């Protein structure tokens, strides 16, 4: 068995602007994704998905395009369309973690409601 060739010397070694270093950091991040959701967490996500179906069915016909969610990472509100919300929850089920934070895209805030509002609206609609 021959020993592997020596590692090439990284010319950017120690350079804070090294672009490869950033890629390596991203790779390290994605390794964390292997941790599965707990059964309880999965249950919660599945419930959220079910809620989302009802919210969209009731609210989309009234012109609501999605939900506004307070971001845990930057503490700013983010606006998500129905499709993106669903995709994010499915991703959470598959990957065991939230998607990387996505910046807002200049939505029309009046087209979106909070999760609490959607739930309140849904509860009232189903009662009535
Ligand atoms: Zn954010």
């Amino acid at each position: 068995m021959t020993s592997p060739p020596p590692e090439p010397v990284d010319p950017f070694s120690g350079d804070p602007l090294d672009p490869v270093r950033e890629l390596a950091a991203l790779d390290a991040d994605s390794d964390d994704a292997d941790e599965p959701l707990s059964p309880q967490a999965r249950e919660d996500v599945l419930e959220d998905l079910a809620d989302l179906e009802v919210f969209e069915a009731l609210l989309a016909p009234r012109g609501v395009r999605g939900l506004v969610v307070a971001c845990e990472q930057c503490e700013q509100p983010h606006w998500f369309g129905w499709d993106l919300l669903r995709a994010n929850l499915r991703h959470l089920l598959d990957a065991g973690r939230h998607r990387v934070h996505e910046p807002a895209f200049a939505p029309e805030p009046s087209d979106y409601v909070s999760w609490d509002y959607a739930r309140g609206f849904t509860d009232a609609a189903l009662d009535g």
Side-chain angles (χ1 to χ4, degrees):
M1 202 174 199
T2 58
S3 58
E7 291 281 319
V9 176
D10 180 358
F12 294 108
S13 183
D15 183 344
L17 296 176
D18 179 0
V20 177
R21 180 188 300 237
E22 206 162 307
L23 287 176
L26 285 176
D27 273 347
D29 271 358
S30 57
D31 285 347
D32 297 343
D34 291 330
E35 195 142 318
L37 289 179
S38 71
Q40 181 58 49
R42 277 190 78 86
E43 198 74 4
D44 288 347
V45 176
L46 287 170
E47 252 175 53
D48 284 352
L49 270 169
D51 284 346
L52 208 53
E53 294 293 327
V54 181
F55 294 169
E56 183 178 8
L58 285 173
L59 291 166
R62 307 177 70 93
V64 178
R65 299 179 60 185
L67 299 179
V68 54
V69 178
C71 176
E72 290 172 13
Q73 286 171 52
C74 65
E75 298 181 358
Q76 298 288 317
H78 291 320
W79 290 268
F80 295 102
W82 301 114
D83 289 345
L84 189 55
L85 281 164
R86 217 178 349 256
N88 281 351
L89 285 173
R90 294 230 167 94
H91 176 84
L92 183 56
L93 277 183
D94 290 343
R97 62 170 190 160
H98 282 285
R99 273 196 176 159
V100 178
H101 161 77
E102 292 177 40
F105 56 93
E108 186 59 53
S110 61
D111 288 343
Y112 295 78
V113 299
S114 71
W115 194 278
D116 285 345
Y117 175 94
R119 188 181 301 282
F121 184 93
T122 302
D123 287 347
L126 295 181
D127 279 351

